[in-house]
Every structure is written in C-alpha cells, then in structure tokens.
Amino acid sequence: MSVTVDDELWSAVGDPTRRRMLDLMLADGFGTATSLSDRLPVTRQAVAKHLGVLHRVGLVHATPSGRERRYEVDEEQLARAVAQLASVGASWDARLHRIKRIAEAIQRDREN
Amino acid sequence: MSVTVDDELWSAVGDPTRRRMLDLMLADGFGTATSLSDRLPVTRQAVAKHLGVLHRVGLVHATPSGRERRYEVDEEQLARAVAQLASVGASWDARLHRIKRIAEAIQRDREN
DNA sequence: CGCGACACGCAACCGATGGTTGCGCATAAC
DNA sequence: GTTATGCGCAACCATCGGTTGCGTGTCGCG
C-alpha cells in the first residue's frame, strides 16, 4: 500500500541544509539566521529562506527578540516528520522482506 | 553528532515521484518508462529522467528487453537508503527524549 | 544624544532540477 | 510492408537552493 505521505513535510526535511539546521537548533535550543549561517557553509540569506520553508510547514516557530528572530523546533511537528520517514522505510522494508522470502522459496523449489 | 548521511542517496529517495516509482516497481517486480508513466501523473520523459537518477545512484538497474528497457529495484541499495532514513530519525529521537513518545502516539493513531 | 555595528528583509540574478512538448528512430505486430 | 509502440534527444519553462547587493531597524557605547 502506498503509504500516504505529506510531501510538504517530507521535502522540507529532505533538504540536507535544512536537516543540519534542525540539528543545530535541536542542539542549541534555538537559532537565528545569522547564528546558523555562522555554522553552515551557506550565507545568511540562504538560511533565512530555509527558515521560511521550515516555518511554513510548521517545523519551527519564530519569536522576535529585539533585533533578532529566534527560531526553535516544533517538536511535535518534527515527530510527525520522523514518523513519516519511519513509515515509508517500514513499508519498503516489508516489501523487501517479502521479496526475499519469495526469492528463497523459488530457490528452494529449484533445488528439488 | 550529525549522522553522516549520503546526500546522493537521500535526495534520490527524497523526490515524491521517485518514491512512487520505487513503490510501483516493488509491487510489479519491474517497470518501464511507459508503464510507470501510465500510472503516474507525469509524462514518460519525466519518468525516464527519474529512472536515470535512480540508476545513477544504483537504486535500480536496467535490462533491455526488445524495444523496451525494464528497470528493477536494487534491493540492497534500497535497504541502504531505508537504513539512512532510520538513522536520521533515530538521531532526532535521541536528541529530544520527548519526541519519541509523541512519535509513538502518532504511530498508534495513524490508520494506514 | 548620536553614530557605528549588527541582524534582518527585499530584490535581482544564476545554475540545477522536475516538468513539459516535439521530433526522430528502432523494434515489434498486424 | 505498413502501422503502432517504446525509447532517446533537444528545446524550453518554472521552481528552488544559492549568491550578491542594498536598505532598514535595533542595539550599544562614547
């Protein structure tokens, strides 16, 4: 069964830079465009765009604090994303195992 | 520690159309550009390009058969991709103790 | 208070990519 | 042998990740 997956969420998490941003924010508690870009090989503007994407799908939420905007991960939404990764992986896993069993069955048949 | 992930593999699997193609090929055993595009909302050429990508990262391999090219999933490579999905999810799980509980709740709730 | 430094947003631009249409060629089917 | 099917190549378009450049708001400190 083709696991119904929210492509928006998946593709938000699909970008390697965005994954590293999530990692950093999880590690530090929060992050700003500038602070994240300091620790990533991309410019502040690139980070800002990614934050926009993450915000749009609800993976982070922002709180303006003085002259900076602090972003922190929405844990529940990230959990939802993780669940989707797991669910797709599990679906493929199941199919692969079934195939393997069938292949083994065929192999056994041939030996008779 | 940011789990070192093969971005090539991930981004190959990251595209929703390619995921659906993999699903179809797993279900049917193999697929051609035309047969897949029949069951997808994109043209044969789009499918052909995706097959090129999947082939480049080793997720499928092709065998010419008459006037058509049959592609089938490389199970081992797909298993590798699945492992990476799991590993990223696991890393996030580990960072936020809370996440795992929520994810499990969602998993129980989900009906597919 | 005033001015420099810092963090941000907006806009233009560029290359890669997912998608399309159009065409030509080869192999199968009748 | 002609028609139909499946594929590859090429041009083109929109979107996206990334950059540079510039303008604006806020903080901090003489």
Side-chain angles (χ1 to χ4, degrees):
Chain A
M1 307 313 156
S2 49
V3 194
T4 21
V5 170
D6 180 349
D7 282 341
E8 288 265 319
L9 238 193
W10 181 295
S11 73
V13 155
D15 183 87
T17 302
R18 285 196 283 265
R19 275 199 306 277
R20 299 183 65 185
M21 287 170 56
L22 289 170
D23 269 348
L24 288 174
M25 285 187 275
L26 282 179
D28 300 352
F30 72 96
T32 68
T34 321
S35 79
L36 291 174
S37 69
D38 280 346
R39 308 176 59 181
L40 288 172
V42 295
T43 60
R44 175 182 62 84
Q45 280 79 353
V47 170
K49 286 191 191 174
H50 285 307
L51 283 172
V53 174
L54 292 176
H55 188 256
R56 223 167 287 127
V57 302
L59 272 168
V60 301
H61 56 95
T63 57
S65 164
R67 70 179 154 186
E68 63 183 13
R69 283 179 73 91
R70 305 190 164 180
Y71 289 86
E72 48 187 320
V73 178
D74 182 312
E75 302 174 8
E76 187 173 332
Q77 192 68 1
L78 181 58
R80 194 164 286 128
V82 168
Q84 291 201 355
L85 295 191
S87 128
V88 168
S91 139
W92 281 339
D93 229 29
R95 268 228 191 81
L96 289 178
H97 282 133
R98 233 189 46 223
I99 290 171
K100 195 177 179 189
R101 284 205 314 274
I102 295 172
E104 286 166 356
I106 293 173
Q107 195 64 23
R108 272 194 304 277
D109 275 1
R110 238 186 241 125
E111 287 164 1
N112 300 343
Chain B
M1 302 316 178
S2 49
V3 193
T4 28
V5 170
D6 181 349
D7 283 341
E8 289 264 318
L9 239 193
W10 181 295
S11 73
V13 156
D15 184 87
T17 302
R18 286 197 282 265
R19 275 200 306 277
R20 299 183 65 183
M21 288 170 56
L22 288 170
D23 269 347
L24 288 173
M25 285 187 274
L26 281 180
D28 300 351
F30 71 96
T32 67
T34 319
S35 79
L36 291 174
S37 69
D38 281 347
R39 309 176 59 183
L40 288 174
V42 294
T43 59
R44 175 182 61 84
Q45 280 79 354
V47 170
K49 286 190 192 176
H50 284 306
L51 283 173
V53 174
L54 291 175
H55 189 255
R56 223 166 287 128
V57 302
L59 272 168
V60 302
H61 55 96
T63 57
S65 164
R67 71 178 153 184
E68 62 183 13
R69 293 194 96 209
R70 307 191 163 180
Y71 289 86
E72 47 187 321
V73 177
D74 181 312
E75 302 174 11
E76 189 175 329
Q77 192 70 0
L78 181 58
R80 193 164 290 129
V82 168
Q84 293 202 353
L85 296 192
S87 113
V88 169
S91 132
W92 283 337
D93 267 358
R95 273 256 177 65
L96 267 170
H97 42 294
R98 255 193 71 207
I99 286 183
K100 194 172 184 188
R101 291 205 315 272
I102 299 171
E104 286 167 355
I106 293 172
Q107 194 66 24
R108 272 195 302 278
D109 279 357
R110 104 170 357 194
E111 69 288 345
N112 55 5

